[in-house]
Amino acid sequence: MTSDTDRRSAEERFREVFAHLGAVTAYARRRGSRDPDGLAAEAMTIAWRRLAGVPQDDPLPWLYATARNLLLAERRVARRTGTRVVEPSVPAPELHDLDPQLDAALRSLSPADREALLLVAWEDLAPTQAARVLGLKPTAFRVRLLRARRRLRAALDEERRPAPLVQIDVEGT
Amino acid sequence: MTDHTLNRLRAANPSPEGTAVNADALFDRIVLSTADRRLGHTPRRRRRPMLLVAIVIVVCGLLASGAYGVSGLFDHIIHGPTVKAEYAAAQKQLTLPPGHRWPPLNWPKNSVTSRGAGGSFAVSVDQDAWECYWVDAIHSGDVASQRRANAALDDLMANHIVIAPAGSPEDYTPPQSERTPTLAFADDGGYQYKQRMYAEAAAGKPRLLEQSCLANGP
């Protein structure tokens, strides 16, 4: 920053990034952060410090990627302090309020598949945006999303299938 | 996935957008901190001729000077092995919290920095480690460890961390860094922010400390 003009210009630019605070907080909450508000605030602070690297046209994927890294760091700290940690690699979604069938189907997916689905379904990102969050090429992300969709559908079908009838042998009839 | 399945997943979104924090206050607090320095820089294209002139002047100066002059000119620049030696020496003067280890410093041999950088890395590592140790102690209710962490961080702030004078260059080296590992904070309120963080944590409000550990911890 060399002058007040630069600073004002930076603040204006940051205001557009900061407008996504609610979305980032919700993302952190959905992924089971212990402190979603604090995590979103930290992501915004990082965005301010690295504003030149935040894409001006579409900062949301950058913010989600940063929040995701902070979530992983939060999990590492939780692991150090002995708090129970669910997922080893990808933040686990907070699924407690879901209907049990969907909950079970989602939990049966790999973390990578689940994250691809949730970025599109819950964070409402386009595949190209979601690809940026995960550091993938759009093509690779589309393939992952397609497979994840198929696996979720299969898992839901499995959940819907009635339990097999128990064959009862009746002796003497 | 059929649209039905996707719609079902969308409808199951457990949390609407929103935040409980005062967004305006948060915005004001964030923009008070140091902004990205790259934003204020003149575009590189315009700097290039000046950079070229500066390089030519430096080269001419080097050619015109003798070996003594050259060695004097670069006295404040150190290479990888010296950085690592400084880092190792600093570890003898600083104390890590129990259970923490000094991480290896991966500094390329052919990369250069200012004298004292190895010590400042060590101070930074030590500070981050004590902050996380303090957070762990708070979470576990270990009052003695909390006091110990507080004292260690106060000592670091008093004896190993300084505020660079206003207008200092990016590679400012504190004069005492030859004898004592020292980390220089820019004069932008960062030092005072840390002081506030520690005071609040000592008063039972560890939120800033937890955030710092989360972002910088080992």
Side-chain angles (χ1 to χ4, degrees), chain B residues 65-85:
Chain B
S65 63
Y68 178 78
V70 171
S71 65
L73 194 61
F74 287 112
D75 190 42
H76 66 290
I77 293 175
I78 56 173
H79 290 77
T82 313
V83 180
K84 286 188 174 179

Side-chain angles (χ1 to χ4, degrees), chain A:
Chain A
M1 287 303 104
T2 54
S3 69
D4 285 348
T5 315
D6 287 336
R7 182 134 196 131
R8 273 197 298 276
S9 156
E11 286 185 15
E12 282 309 308
R13 185 171 160 186
F14 178 62
R15 199 173 286 284
E16 290 170 17
V17 177
F18 192 78
H20 298 290
L21 176 68
V24 179
T25 308
Y27 172 82
R29 193 175 294 129
R30 287 170 195 140
R31 296 303 189 280
S33 168
R34 287 185 304 165
D35 179 14
D37 291 321
L39 192 142
E42 183 66 24
M44 288 297 169
T45 306
I46 293 170
W48 169 246
R49 287 187 194 140
R50 301 180 186 172
L51 196 54
V54 181
Q56 259 181 296
D57 55 338
D58 185 14
L60 197 51
W62 189 97
L63 287 170
Y64 282 147
T66 304
R68 190 165 175 272
N69 289 335
L70 290 172
L71 271 163
L72 291 170
E74 189 183 80
R75 294 277 151 83
R76 282 196 294 275
V77 172
R79 205 173 288 128
R80 269 210 315 268
T81 55
T83 311
R84 194 172 71 91
V85 177
V86 183
E87 291 293 344
S89 57
V90 175
E94 191 62 49
L95 301 173
H96 304 306
D97 296 333
L98 288 182
D99 79 69
Q101 195 184 35
L102 191 56
D103 184 357
L106 274 173
R107 285 180 189 278
S108 72
L109 301 182
S110 71
D113 282 354
R114 188 164 55 225
E115 185 66 6
L117 280 170
L118 296 187
L119 283 172
V120 172
W122 285 2
E123 268 52 67
D124 207 20
L125 295 184
T128 46
Q129 291 177 302
R132 285 206 290 276
V133 175
L134 298 177
L136 296 174
K137 290 185 176 172
T139 320
F141 179 81
R142 283 176 197 280
V143 172
R144 179 181 291 182
L145 183 63
L146 181 69
R147 288 177 179 161
R149 286 172 159 190
R150 284 181 184 155
R151 285 172 185 144
L152 180 65
R153 186 172 53 195
L156 282 169
D157 288 344
E158 189 70 26
E159 286 287 316
R160 266 199 296 271
R161 194 173 299 158
L165 294 172
V166 179
Q167 198 168 0
I168 303 171
D169 289 328
V170 182
E171 290 181 45
T173 55

Side-chain angles (χ1 to χ4, degrees), chain B residues 4-159:
Chain B
H4 169 73
T5 315
L6 183 58
N7 288 340
R8 183 175 171 188
L9 187 54
R10 283 200 168 114
N13 195 340
S15 174
E17 285 191 13
T19 175
V21 301
N22 182 336
D24 290 337
L26 177 63
F27 181 89
D28 292 342
R29 203 171 72 222
I30 290 175
V31 297
L32 270 180
S33 64
T34 311
D36 193 335
R37 291 174 194 277
R38 292 172 294 174
L39 289 171
H41 283 183
T42 315
R44 183 173 285 183
R45 209 172 296 153
R46 269 189 271 160
R47 269 194 324 186
R48 202 167 279 162
M50 286 188 66
L51 186 66
L52 195 63
V53 170
I55 290 171
V56 169
I57 291 171
V58 168
V59 170
C60 289
L62 289 179
L63 291 174
S65 63
Y68 178 78
V70 171
S71 65
L73 194 61
F74 287 112
D75 190 42
H76 66 290
I77 293 175
I78 56 173
H79 290 77
T82 313
V83 180
K84 286 188 174 179
E86 284 183 345
Y87 183 62
Q91 291 170 21
K92 292 173 185 159
Q93 296 190 48
L94 300 168
T95 309
L96 278 177
H100 286 248
R101 284 183 178 177
W102 290 103
L105 179 63
N106 297 314
W107 192 270
K109 276 185 182 173
N110 57 355
S111 188
V112 296
T113 185
S114 305
R115 189 164 293 285
S120 73
F121 288 139
V123 174
S124 180
V125 166
D126 201 29
Q127 187 179 29
D128 294 341
W130 277 110
E131 285 182 1
C132 288
Y133 180 78
W134 195 353
V135 169
D136 290 348
I138 290 169
H139 289 165
S140 63
D142 183 348
V143 177
S145 296
Q146 290 174 37
R147 287 201 188 111
R148 187 172 173 191
N150 193 356
L153 286 165
D154 284 348
D155 176 62
L156 280 176
M157 295 290 279
N159 300 312

